[in-house]
Every structure is written in structure tokens, then in C-alpha cells.
Amino acid sequence: MNAVSAPEKLHDCRDAFVAVLERLGAENTKVVAVCNDSVGSSKLGGFKSKWPERLVNVGIAEQNMVGVGAGLANGGLLPFVCGASCFLTGRSLEQIKADIAYSNANVKLVGISSGMAYGELGPTHHSIEDFAWMRVLPNLPVIAPCDSIETAAAVEWAAGYEGPVFLRLSRVGVPDLLQPGHAFEPGKANRLRDGDAVTLIANGTLTHRAMKAAGLLAARGIEARVLNMATVRPIDAESIVAAARETGAILTAEEHSVYGGLGSAVAEVVVAEAPVPMKILGVPGIFAPTGSAEFLLDEFGMSPEAMAKAAEDLLARKGSRA
């Protein structure tokens, strides 16, 4: 009788976020939360029950929410401004630009349910432009943790960082890839797997899929390097250049449009420093339709199997250049 493998344990990164937020709130009375009628979806219920006077719910008014966060920061508090990433970034872009980034306000923007996590609610709730919108703004680190461990570490780092931060979190469960006690370092990729044939670069919900794709490639005799590139800005140019020179081909994957996100940030480094064959996987410049996040990722060629095939196609291009 064949043994049945245990199902993969999945973690909601929002749980890791609020666990650290509540600990920070207990340690520091200056920690406050601001949300847009999203106490439930941001999982702020525990924070609210402990410190109701330290949670500001502005209702469905994201521009005001960002302004309130900036005002609280100017008053010496440490605000975490939370909301669905599509609305936090899309509706409030001017306020984030002027009140947060330009003013270098000590506000932590937390985009919840990013990417296509709200898939069944359709294109209005997809957040597949937020990397592009956020990473063009000066003074604003842009971070998409790959698992609950990195989420907790990134929140811890953000709280101690003097300045604005954008954290992009999903509600889709992912397995933990990093080791407990991991210390987040902005602008530094994590090499999760070694390889010299091709490099797979991903973040957020796509990192574990990249690891599975690398496993499929290994079974075919192809050793792929895997980089978890949680920080989209500042990007880890050193790791990208090393990957290009040492493996000769780069595949990126992200739960975002192929325009303006992780792939674009990586390509900007590759084209300037170490040109090699490259492929960007993501939503192909369209309004993604209604459907579960898992279905849509597979539909857009980001299943582990499709990623492995894309990597093999890259290797063919790499070989033709030799």
C-alpha cells in the first residue's frame, strides 16, 4: 500500500501580521491602527478589543485614511494603515505620494488581500498594479513577504524603521519556506535553492510555486537557483547580477501585471548590468477576470508545471546564444 503524504500546511500571512502588531501594541502605546471599514478582512479585531481607543476606522474613505495616518505620524504616533491593497493604493495614490512619501512620514501602509486574492469579486478588487504604483515613489520601501515567517520579520523591521513602508500581504494561504527566527533585511534577496542552469525569482504567493517548479526541473536534470525577492524597492541588484552571470537566464514570477512590478525591476538591472535571456511571468497586461486566485495563477501560466516549462524554453534561448 502506498503511503499518503501529509497535506502541505498553509499559513495566512495576515495572522502573522496581526500577531506582531498586537505584541508591538502591548510594548508601545504609540502603536495605532487605521483602517477603511476593514477590521475583519485586516484581522484587526483582536487589536480593537484590546485597545479600542487606538484603532481608527474611517469607513470606506481611503484617501482620508491615508491622511489620518500621516497626521497621527506627525503627532508622534506609529500608525499602521491597513486596507485592501487595490483600494489603499488605487484610491489614495495622490495622498500616498504627497502626505506619506514626499513628506517621509513614519507611516506603515499595509495592503491586505493583494494580487488576485479577492478573485471571485472580479477585476475591481484585483490588486495587480500596486507594485508599479508604489515602487515609483521615492522614500517608500516596497515589500511582499513570501510566507508567515517573513511577514512577521518584515512587520518587526518596518516598526523600527524611521520612514514610510508599503507591505503587500495576501490572504491566500502559503507554506512557510524560511526558518523560524529569520531576520528581515530590506533590499536583500534570500537564496532558497542553488543552481547554475537558470534562476527563478519570485516573491509573495509565487515563491513557493517557484520552489516547486525548481523541484520539477531538478527531476529533469536541470538545477535552478531560486531567489525570494521580497523587496521590490530597493531591489537587490547584486544578487540579480550574480544570478545573470552565473546561471545565464532569469525567469521572474509575480501575482501582478507583467508591467511595472518585480519583473520590470529585475529587467532594469539585467539590461544595464548583465544582459541575458529573461522571461517575466504575471498577468499579461489585461484586466484579470473573475475566478479564484489559484485558478487565475494557473490560467496565466504560473502553475509550477508552467513555470518549469517556461524555464526550459529560456534554456533553449540561452543555448541558441552560445
Side-chain angles (χ1 to χ4, degrees):
M1 184 174 180
N2 293 330
V4 178
S5 60
E8 200 170 43
K9 186 174 182 181
L10 304 180
H11 303 270
D12 186 334
C13 291
R14 296 176 299 171
D15 292 329
F17 160 62
V18 296
V20 176
L21 182 65
E22 289 178 25
R23 179 174 56 75
L24 293 171
E27 296 169 353
N28 183 358
T29 58
K30 292 185 177 181
V31 172
V32 296
V34 187
C35 69
N36 58 339
D37 200 27
S38 60
V39 172
S41 61
S42 297
K43 295 206 170 187
L44 293 172
F47 191 96
K48 179 181 179 181
S49 66
K50 293 175 181 176
W51 308 288
E53 74 285 359
R54 288 160 58 186
L55 184 140
V56 181
N57 186 348
V58 304
I60 303 174
E62 288 77 12
Q63 294 170 331
N64 288 346
M65 177 176 69
V66 172
V68 167
L72 293 171
N74 289 339
L77 299 179
L78 181 55
F80 284 77
V81 176
C82 310
S85 195
C86 57
F87 304 129
L88 170 63
T89 59
R91 287 182 181 162
S92 312
L93 183 56
E94 180 185 0
Q95 284 70 28
I96 293 172
K97 174 184 174 181
D99 298 343
I100 306 297
Y102 175 72
S103 301
N104 206 30
N106 193 27
V107 175
K108 316 309 168 183
L109 302 168
V110 185
I112 301 291
S113 303
S114 60
M116 296 177 288
Y118 277 137
E120 291 84 351
L121 297 179
T124 58
H125 285 62
H126 294 327
S127 189
I128 55 174
E129 308 87 7
D130 49 3
F131 276 154
W133 290 336
M134 295 294 99
R135 82 176 186 95
V136 299
L137 297 176
N139 301 329
L140 186 63
V142 175
I143 302 163
C146 72
D147 64 11
S148 68
I149 293 171
E150 188 168 38
T151 298
V155 174
E156 188 82 42
W157 171 82
Y161 174 75
E162 187 66 31
V165 176
F166 174 63
L167 288 167
R168 186 187 198 250
L169 307 182
S170 180
R171 66 194 295 143
V172 175
V174 292
D176 281 337
L177 300 174
L178 302 177
Q179 295 300 311
H182 169 76
F184 179 77
E185 185 177 350
K188 186 66 177 176
N190 311 116
R191 189 185 296 194
L192 302 183
R193 184 170 181 141
D194 263 325
D196 58 8
V198 63
T199 298
L200 313 182
I201 302 178
N203 61 18
T205 57
L206 268 294
T207 303
H208 78 96
R209 287 177 172 237
M211 286 292 285
K212 290 179 179 178
L216 294 173
L217 290 167
R220 302 167 194 169
I222 301 168
E223 292 301 329
R225 181 177 303 184
V226 179
L227 297 180
N228 170 46
M229 193 72 66
T231 312
V232 178
R233 179 170 181 168
I235 198 79
D236 185 353
E238 183 178 351
S239 290
I240 295 168
V241 171
R245 290 175 176 166
E246 294 166 11
T247 71
I250 292 177
L251 175 77
T252 66
E254 60 196 299
E255 194 176 354
H256 187 273
S257 169
V258 295
Y259 300 109
L262 172 65
S264 295
V266 171
E268 289 160 13
V269 175
V270 170
V271 73
E273 302 293 337
V276 294
M278 185 176 165
K279 174 72 174 177
I280 298 173
L281 297 180
V283 180
I286 64 172
F287 289 108
T290 300
S292 72
E294 292 292 318
F295 167 79
L296 291 171
L297 288 172
D298 290 351
E299 185 73 7
F300 291 126
M302 289 179 281
S303 67
E305 294 79 8
M307 291 171 68
K309 175 63 168 61
E312 288 180 312
D313 291 344
L314 260 184
L315 286 173
R317 288 172 53 196
K318 173 183 170 182
S320 68
R321 286 163 47 100

